[in-house]
Amino acid sequence: MHKKMTRTDIFYYSRSKLLLYLLFNLVLLTLALFFTWVIFPQYGIVYSLALGVCVLSVVATIVAMIIHHPLAVISSSSIKIDFCASLKWKDIKSAHKVQFGHKELIIFEVKNLSKYKLNFMQKIIKNSKFSAFSIPLYAMDFRDAEAIEKIIGQYVRID
């Protein structure tokens, strides 16, 4: 779902794709329950931890579906991806559209990454091929993915 406001474009995660992720997490939760109580009850602590992680993942997916938080908020001066710091257009060195299997991403290379306050996940992946600032086009509806690519193209050239 894409919502256009004055001078700001807001793009959201696809609820249908989040539903698939929820179903996947429910299958994992079922498997964790099965392994915890039926197959390996002697390893209760280990599987209880796995069970807790699965429950947390299911709850997080449900919350993301209910709240429907934005994937990207684009203004004339910056772009904000998820809960990350706003990235100024002038600080973007380049943008690349890459494909990993069937998943497409737009990856931003930032001129001076040290001046941005990164969240935990960004700190982990800042030196990987995904960079600290990436937009998962695969997590959006097809029309929204095309629209966000076009809008970003107005500010930064996408290779």
Side-chain angles (χ1 to χ4, degrees), residues 14-50:
S14 167
R15 281 199 167 131
S16 60
K17 292 181 181 183
L18 283 173
L19 181 61
L20 290 173
Y21 186 64
L22 175 63
L23 292 174
F24 173 75
N25 283 323
L26 288 172
V27 168
L28 288 179
L29 177 60
T30 304
L31 288 172
L33 284 169
F34 181 69
F35 278 95
T36 301
W37 291 331
V38 177
I39 296 180
F40 297 112
Q42 67 272 25
Y43 298 111
I45 293 173
V46 173
Y47 286 109
S48 295
L49 179 64

Side-chain angles (χ1 to χ4, degrees), residues 54-71:
C54 290
V55 167
L56 183 64
S57 185
V58 167
V59 169
T61 305
I62 291 170
V63 167
M65 290 177 75
I66 292 170
I67 293 175
H68 208 211
H69 73 275
L71 183 148

Side-chain angles (χ1 to χ4, degrees), residues 77-137:
S77 62
S78 65
I79 181 169
K80 182 174 181 168
I81 304 167
D82 281 329
F83 296 111
C84 304
S86 291
L87 177 62
K88 305 271 188 228
W89 294 115
K90 64 180 181 168
D91 292 338
I92 298 175
K93 186 180 352 177
S94 64
H96 307 284
K97 185 175 177 182
V98 294
Q99 190 164 346
F100 297 100
H102 296 292
K103 299 178 189 238
E104 287 187 323
L105 293 103
I106 295 177
I107 298 173
F108 297 107
E109 288 186 44
V110 182
K111 292 176 187 171
N112 186 3
L113 194 59
S114 63
K115 75 180 198 177
Y116 285 95
K117 182 175 175 147
L118 303 178
N119 64 26
F120 177 71
M121 192 62 166
Q122 287 178 302
K123 288 177 185 176
I124 291 173
I125 65 170
K126 72 180 179 182
N127 295 320
S128 73
K129 47 182 144 172
F130 295 109
S131 90
F133 292 96
S134 302
I135 296 179
L137 297 176

Side-chain angles (χ1 to χ4, degrees), residues 7 24 31 76 156:
R7 303 191 70 155
F24 173 75
L31 288 172
S76 59
V156 177

